Amino acid sequence: MSDKKASPPVRADFVAFEEVHSRWMDNDVYGHINNVVYYSFFDTAVNRYLIEQNVLDVLESSAIGLVIETQCQYFSPIAYPDMIHVGLKVAHLGNSSVKYEVAIFKNEDDLASAMGYFVHVYVDRKTNKPTPIPQDVREVLQKLVKVAE
């Protein structure tokens, strides 16, 4: 484990954004959104993006992405009623897995309050066995790959 803390990313580091409303119940006794809620923001943003792109039907898609790994690093607190903007990009697109890099931006802040990653492995809904990412999903995910400038 490195002693060096990463710098917060900026909005320009991400390809797409999803808005997530913070809720009163997200705040903890310390007056900010509890750390576990950030993972819910990640999950909500990634899946909403796929649904909006018409490549995920949560009830019918034959191949579904299951979360196998996630991580988050925190930089500054957020609290209800802040509006959350989740930045998305794809860091790795494999045969059956995708690694998203995600960041949480508070209101109109340009610096992220938190950043992390989220890995989906695609499985057959019926057998729960790994399966290649469907072509239509792959095409949407490819659009999230941020090319170094």
Side-chain angles (χ1 to χ4, degrees):
M1 185 171 183
S2 172
D3 289 336
K4 185 178 178 198
K5 185 174 181 177
S7 298
V10 296
R11 287 180 188 254
D13 294 332
F14 295 87
V15 178
F17 290 86
E18 289 291 329
E19 272 189 2
V20 180
H21 293 269
S22 63
R23 304 166 306 170
W24 176 260
M25 67 183 256
D26 295 335
N27 282 5
D28 61 21
V29 298
Y30 302 116
H32 56 74
I33 291 179
N34 190 273
N35 60 299
V36 300
V37 177
Y38 288 69
Y39 293 99
S40 176
F41 293 156
F42 293 171
D43 202 11
T44 297
V46 166
N47 285 295
R48 182 183 301 144
Y49 181 82
L50 295 173
I51 290 166
E52 289 172 349
Q53 297 297 312
N54 296 313
V55 294
L56 174 61
D57 180 327
V58 295
L59 299 176
E60 300 294 330
S61 291
S62 60
I64 55 174
L66 299 182
V67 176
I68 62 155
E69 185 177 351
T70 188
Q71 178 269 331
C72 186
Q73 185 174 13
Y74 307 92
F75 301 108
S76 61
I78 56 177
Y80 177 83
D82 290 330
M83 176 58 73
I84 310 306
H85 302 266
V86 183
L88 301 171
K89 66 180 173 181
V90 166
H92 174 76
L93 186 55
N95 183 50
S96 62
S97 67
V98 57
K99 180 178 182 180
Y100 300 92
E101 288 184 355
V102 290
I104 303 292
F105 295 89
K106 173 177 70 174
N107 301 316
E108 300 306 317
D109 289 358
D110 191 51
L111 285 177
S113 294
M115 72 174 194
Y117 66 84
F118 190 89
V119 178
H120 269 159
V121 168
Y122 276 80
V123 300
D124 179 275
R125 180 189 293 270
K126 292 180 181 159
T127 66
N128 226 25
K129 301 285 186 207
T131 189
I133 297 171
Q135 188 58 37
D136 61 338
V137 177
R138 179 172 294 285
E139 289 170 7
V140 165
L141 294 175
Q142 190 64 49
K143 294 177 190 173
L144 289 176
V145 174
K146 175 114 174 140
V147 178
E149 293 155 5

